[in-house]
Amino acid sequence: MEFKSEKLVRFYRSEGNSMLSWEKNNAPHTAKLNARDASAPYLKQGIFTSAGKKRFDEDDRPWSKCIFDPGSEIILLWNNIFLMSCLVALLLDPLYFYLPSLRISASCMDTDLNLGIVVTIFRTIADVFYFLHMLIKFRIAYVAPSSRVFGRGELVMDPKKIAVRYLKSDFCIDLVAALPLPQMVIWFVIPAVRGSNSDHANNALAMIVLFQYFPRLYLIFPLSAQIVKATGVVTKTAWAGAAYNLLLYMIASNLLGASWYLLSIERQTTCWKKECRNDSSSICEPKFLYCKTSGDSAREAWKNGTNVFTNCNPNNSTFNYGIFGRALTDNIVSSKFLEKYFYCLWWGLQQLSSYGQNLETSTFIGETAFCILISIVGLVLFAHLIGNMQTYLQSLTVRIEEWRVKRKDTEEWMRHRQLPPALQNRVRRFIQYKWIVTQGVEEESLLSGLPTDLRRDIQRQLCLDLVRRVPFFSQMDDQLLDAICERLVSSLSTEGTYIVREGDPVTEMLFIIRGQLESSTTNGGRTGFFNSTALNPGDFCGEELLSWALLPKSTGNLPSSTRTVRALSEVEAFALRAEDLKFVANQFRRLHSRKLQHTFRFYSHQWRAWAACFIQAAWRSYKKRKLARELIMQESYVLAEQEEEDEEMQMHTETAPEDMPDATQNDSLRMIASRFAANARKGAQKIKSAAAPSLPGQLPKLQKPDEPDFSREPEEED
């Protein structure tokens, strides 16, 4: 008989859950239907991809039509990349000001085409980022203002609403910032107007670059605000924040230096044109000022016969160049690109830092306005950017400063209270040790502000491996260990600190992580008794608290310590307080397990001390009983011999003649006396043995530690 094999397709909902199966014939349709139904709620809320990027998609649309969450990781990553591209673009735009240059040997003005090509390529790449940012903003959802009553608000995912909102808000600014206007001016406008209207070429270039520079500068601020809204900070470290503000300061210096360079060339050409108009000895045309006519015979004849270049020489000219004379006298306008770039950058940085105080201006209104602008911008930028950079750098040492102030207050308090020097030194050592370990961070206050689940995971990461090193906890399951880790708090002790003294209430169990403790007891102060042991990493103390917590009906009175615990070195430990241990013992009945009884006794130093004393007492009792048996056997042998001698003496006395000398009678009396003495000595030994435990040379009896209630509930018995 043949059985038709039935093939099933199983869909696993999640690990550990039940699985559903359908026959193969109906599997494709059913699987498609159920997959769509199961994923419908998540598609409406948003889909998290494998890379952690969140996008909203109701269908299997391509990425170009997806709607992105403004707080997702991919948008945050893009904002950071676009911010860096904006900063690079702000550094690139002023490089157009370095295209014009002067050739001192030929006395003409030229344009660096090689530099123009390089700058145009990089500028075009930067423009691509601006256009990509515009396209992405058409696909970024936004929070509806009417839904911000509580929480984050509701995201609007309608592409039409997103597009309308973007077109009404930032689209114009983004479009102006993304247009390749400087490239068109350099390669199309300036070559076309060079000639009779060539005196306006540099001004047109400067105006176009500045026209786009300020919108691009403006885009940095809302972009930084979006990053701060998503992550809380623009940069994650203080050094990165200081570098970011310093970079903005350098960008302003770069623009200022490039503007100073371009205005220097403008002042030189202004002098040439002024002298050219006043020169009546020869025919002066504006095109003669450009190097493209350097091979023209008419220009060479005009150059040899004119006084334009002599009168405009910055070293001995009557024309006042003002703040631009330094660029002309040092031949900065005719130097190589790197030389003039770094020189102008240094000049801009110097003037911003000094607010333009060392500038000697002329009466030219444009130059005076430029100097006023330098002073105002330098003051604002130095107060804002350098102030922010100082704040970031000070945040690196804020903990040290707080510790220094706290230590100063402690010193003043100790002097005011007139504490003894030894006690003051102990306080100083503890404050110093706590700073070294924690670096001024209050862990308890930091963890208390976190959610319970996150706080539990952090405590598990910090404490679980350390708790498992404690042999008593190594046999417990993870759920119980998590409950213990959640309630552990850090504890620090310096050398010589007494954790607890014998007879004091025990308030916490201490689990040693680093360092060494000394645990000693005198058994309640009895004379002649002292027991001491060393506690190393992995050991614990305060086991009296565990016995108290495991009692079914424990009172509110904490148990008294049977030992004195003192730190032999600097100790780092975790402490489990009495109320937390009681909570764990009541909530988790697995702690009431007989399996833990032998582990607790073996690793408890209190039980070890009691066991050692018990073994010593038993051994001494055994030795005493053994010695007593040997003595009894010896006495029995001696008494038997004496009885035999007495019997022989008596027989000899009875058979002796009556006229026996007195010496024989004396011997009989001595034998009777020795027998009496032996019996008396035996009685004295019995009295001595009865009084032996009260002698000071014997070990006093040590009280047995309290037995923890490790009994399990009847229903939990295996």
Side-chain angles (χ1 to χ4, degrees), residues 29-99:
H29 175 73
T30 310
K32 183 177 180 181
L33 178 62
N34 283 273
R36 184 174 301 174
D37 294 342
S39 60
Y42 299 96
L43 290 175
K44 293 179 180 179
Q45 297 295 330
I47 297 177
F48 285 92
T49 62
S50 58
K53 297 179 280 288
K54 188 176 181 182
R55 63 187 179 95
F56 298 96
D57 189 7
E58 296 182 354
D59 303 314
D60 295 333
R61 299 176 181 176
W63 282 96
S64 59
K65 297 183 179 180
C66 294
I67 304 300
F68 296 95
D69 184 358
S72 61
E73 294 184 4
I74 186 173
I75 297 300
L76 180 60
L77 178 62
W78 168 253
N79 287 339
N80 284 279
I81 294 175
F82 184 64
L83 178 61
M84 295 303 299
S85 66
C86 289
L87 297 177
V88 173
L90 293 178
L91 288 172
L92 287 175
D93 286 352
L95 296 183
Y96 283 107
F97 293 170
Y98 295 99
L99 296 184

Side-chain angles (χ1 to χ4, degrees), residues 292-345:
K292 70 175 185 178
T293 60
S294 58
D296 192 354
S297 59
R299 183 189 183 278
E300 293 297 329
W302 169 78
K303 176 183 176 183
N304 295 329
T306 185
N307 295 325
V308 172
F309 302 109
T310 303
N311 296 334
C312 291
N313 190 347
N315 295 319
N316 53 7
S317 174
T318 57
F319 188 84
N320 189 359
Y321 289 96
I323 63 174
F324 309 109
R326 190 173 183 179
L328 300 174
T329 55
D330 294 342
N331 294 328
I332 302 301
V333 293
S334 60
S335 302
K336 296 180 179 179
F337 169 70
L338 291 179
E339 295 178 357
K340 59 186 178 184
Y341 174 76
F342 284 106
Y343 187 90
C344 295
L345 179 62

Side-chain angles (χ1 to χ4, degrees), residues 438-651:
T438 64
Q439 294 296 313
V441 179
E442 297 293 339
E443 294 183 358
E444 294 187 18
S445 61
L446 181 64
L447 293 176
S448 62
L450 299 177
T452 304
D453 182 66
L454 183 57
R455 184 168 61 248
R456 184 186 300 113
D457 293 341
I458 293 175
Q459 289 289 98
R460 177 184 176 89
Q461 179 68 27
L462 294 177
C463 308
L464 185 60
D465 293 339
L466 301 175
V467 171
R468 281 178 175 172
R469 283 164 38 182
V470 179
F472 179 69
F473 290 144
S474 61
Q475 299 182 6
M476 298 181 182
D477 57 3
D478 291 341
Q479 186 178 5
L480 182 56
L481 291 179
D482 288 342
I484 294 175
C485 290
E486 186 178 355
R487 290 161 177 82
L488 288 178
V489 295
S490 61
S491 176
L492 304 175
S493 303
T494 55
E495 182 180 358
T497 302
Y498 283 88
I499 309 298
V500 65
R501 297 179 184 269
E502 189 173 356
D504 293 345
V506 182
T507 59
E508 60 186 14
M509 284 189 70
L510 210 63
F511 305 96
I512 305 173
I513 306 305
R514 298 179 184 88
Q516 191 177 40
L517 296 175
E518 180 191 32
S519 178
S520 60
T521 180
T522 60
N523 195 18
R526 294 185 180 181
T527 305
F529 183 87
F530 181 78
N531 175 262
S532 176
T533 184
L535 303 180
N536 298 312
D539 294 335
F540 59 92
C541 62
E543 56 268 24
E544 301 90 349
L545 202 62
L546 182 60
S547 303
W548 169 81
L550 292 177
L551 292 176
K553 297 180 180 180
S554 59
T555 61
N557 298 327
L558 296 175
S560 299
S561 176
T562 59
R563 307 184 69 85
T564 298
V565 182
R566 184 174 64 92
L568 298 179
S569 62
E570 295 175 341
V571 176
E572 298 179 31
F574 282 110
L576 187 61
R577 298 188 178 98
E579 57 273 12
D580 296 330
L581 183 59
K582 186 67 175 178
F583 174 81
V584 173
N586 292 336
Q587 294 295 324
F588 296 91
R589 302 301 299 173
R590 289 182 298 277
L591 191 60
H592 298 261
S593 174
R594 284 283 181 180
K595 297 179 181 179
L596 300 177
Q597 181 175 12
H598 299 294
T599 304
F600 174 77
R601 288 181 175 181
F602 182 79
Y603 289 102
S604 172
H605 292 278
Q606 184 181 0
W607 277 87
R608 287 185 178 184
W610 177 83
C613 293
F614 184 83
I615 293 173
Q616 290 179 7
W619 174 254
R620 294 186 181 185
S621 177
Y622 167 75
K623 295 290 290 184
K624 183 176 64 176
R625 290 194 303 270
K626 182 179 179 181
L627 180 61
R629 288 195 301 268
E630 292 177 353
L631 291 176
I632 291 173
M633 293 179 62
Q634 292 179 2
E635 290 176 358
S636 300
Y637 179 74
V638 172
L639 289 177
E641 291 182 349
Q642 289 179 356
E643 290 178 358
E644 292 178 358
E645 291 178 356
D646 292 343
E647 292 177 356
E648 292 178 356
M649 183 63 66
Q650 186 176 1
M651 293 176 59

Side-chain angles (χ1 to χ4, degrees), residues 133-376:
H133 186 65
M134 293 177 62
L135 296 177
I136 291 176
K137 291 182 75 172
F138 278 105
R139 294 297 172 181
I140 297 179
Y142 67 94
V143 179
S146 59
S147 64
R148 293 179 180 177
V149 178
F150 179 77
R152 182 184 175 184
E154 183 180 356
L155 290 176
V156 177
M157 297 175 289
D158 187 2
K160 294 182 179 180
K161 294 182 179 180
I162 295 174
V164 171
R165 179 177 180 271
Y166 177 52
L167 291 174
K168 291 181 178 180
S169 57
D170 300 332
F171 177 78
C172 295
I173 298 178
D174 293 343
L175 181 61
V176 172
L179 292 177
L181 297 181
Q183 296 94 310
M184 293 187 292
V185 171
I186 290 296
W187 300 107
F188 299 103
V189 177
I190 291 181
V193 302
R194 183 169 293 168
S196 59
N197 296 326
S198 60
D199 53 340
H200 302 292
N202 293 339
N203 294 333
L205 176 62
M207 292 301 297
I208 290 298
V209 171
L210 293 178
F211 177 74
Q212 269 200 319
Y213 193 87
F214 291 107
R216 292 193 170 197
L217 181 63
Y218 167 77
L219 290 179
I220 293 180
F221 300 103
L223 188 61
S224 301
Q226 293 179 11
I227 297 175
V228 171
K229 186 178 181 180
T231 61
V233 290
V234 178
T235 57
K236 296 182 179 180
T237 62
W239 285 108
Y244 175 71
N245 285 274
L246 182 60
L247 180 61
L248 294 179
Y249 195 77
M250 296 297 294
I251 288 175
S253 302
N254 179 44
L255 176 63
L256 184 62
S259 302
W260 174 70
Y261 173 83
L262 185 63
L263 292 176
S264 299
I265 294 181
E266 181 65 24
R267 291 296 288 168
Q268 180 68 75
T269 56
T270 300
C271 180
W272 286 350
K273 294 172 184 177
K274 179 181 178 181
E275 294 295 331
C276 185
R277 288 192 297 268
N278 297 332
D279 188 9
S280 59
S281 59
S282 59
I283 299 175
C284 180
E285 296 183 5
K287 65 179 182 179
F288 291 160
L289 300 178
Y290 292 90
C291 294
K292 70 175 185 178
T293 60
S294 58
D296 192 354
S297 59
R299 183 189 183 278
E300 293 297 329
W302 169 78
K303 176 183 176 183
N304 295 329
T306 185
N307 295 325
V308 172
F309 302 109
T310 303
N311 296 334
C312 291
N313 190 347
N315 295 319
N316 53 7
S317 174
T318 57
F319 188 84
N320 189 359
Y321 289 96
I323 63 174
F324 309 109
R326 190 173 183 179
L328 300 174
T329 55
D330 294 342
N331 294 328
I332 302 301
V333 293
S334 60
S335 302
K336 296 180 179 179
F337 169 70
L338 291 179
E339 295 178 357
K340 59 186 178 184
Y341 174 76
F342 284 106
Y343 187 90
C344 295
L345 179 62
W346 169 81
W347 187 90
L349 184 61
Q350 181 189 35
Q351 302 308 321
L352 281 182
S353 303
S354 61
Y355 315 133
Q357 296 179 1
N358 58 347
L359 296 178
E360 296 181 0
T361 63
S362 63
T363 57
F364 179 56
I365 297 178
E367 181 181 348
T368 306
F370 184 68
C371 293
I372 294 174
L373 183 63
I374 290 176
S375 300
I376 296 175

